[in-house]
Amino acid sequence: MSYKKILVAVDLTDEAQQVLDRAREVTEQNKAELSIIAVVKPINQVYSGFDVAALSADAAMIEMDAVRQAEARVAEHAKALGVPSDRTYIGRGSPAYEIRAMAEQLGTDLIVMGTHGRHGLGLLLGSTATGVLHGCPCDVLTVRIE
């Protein structure tokens, strides 16, 4: 089976390069179109248990700064991979949901993403990878992060 549209989901840590390298390999092997997504969690998800509402103006600024940083990092990755800016996306919300929704919107046949294998379904996959798998419209390649 040959993949035509590949979506790589990155979390913008230094470890993301391992996922991007694997996505590039699979994209080249399949002569596919590559898109990149990063998802910024809403501040109230990041700091659950804190009274974020009391800091609403500051919280909104922090969230916007996170979006700007994500845009800049994704743009760097896109440039290095030769991915045009119109195939880069910044989701806002639940990473698993946003990744699945973008894959469906783009008609993606493969999602490439990393997994630490330290949480969620125990020791198999991370919570985001597990969430993407449930109800995913396409194949998912998880890259074990070293």
Side-chain angles (χ1 to χ4, degrees):
M1 176 179 169
S2 179
Y3 296 109
K4 301 294 179 211
K5 291 187 174 189
I6 298 173
L7 177 64
V8 60
V10 293
D11 64 5
L12 305 177
T13 63
D14 291 338
E15 298 162 336
Q17 192 59 52
Q18 295 173 55
V19 178
L20 291 161
D21 289 344
R22 186 68 179 117
R24 183 185 62 243
E25 290 171 12
V26 175
T27 299
E28 289 172 355
Q29 290 168 355
N30 288 273
K31 297 178 177 69
E33 175 183 285
L34 182 62
S35 298
I36 304 173
I37 186 171
V39 180
V40 175
K41 288 183 181 180
I43 198 80
N44 62 346
Q45 285 183 10
V46 175
Y47 294 104
S48 62
F50 290 94
D51 186 9
V52 177
L55 305 171
S56 61
D58 290 334
M61 287 176 49
I62 292 168
E63 195 169 310
M64 287 306 301
D65 188 49
V67 169
R68 281 191 294 275
Q69 288 181 32
E71 289 170 342
R73 291 290 304 271
V74 167
E76 290 172 18
H77 292 311
K79 183 177 180 183
L81 292 172
V83 174
S85 62
D86 64 342
R87 290 202 318 259
T88 62
Y89 306 94
I90 304 299
R92 294 175 76 181
S94 160
Y97 174 82
E98 295 296 324
I99 293 165
R100 281 192 321 263
M102 184 56 64
E104 192 167 343
Q105 180 182 330
L106 296 174
T108 298
D109 12 58
L110 177 67
I111 297 170
V112 180
M113 62 186 304
T115 182
H116 291 91
R118 287 182 267 193
H119 17 337
L121 253 188
L123 307 169
L124 297 176
L125 295 173
S127 58
T128 298
T130 300
V132 169
L133 286 172
H134 291 286
C136 189
C138 62
D139 290 349
V140 178
L141 171 62
T142 54
V143 178
R144 184 96 156 124
I145 302 297
E146 299 296 325

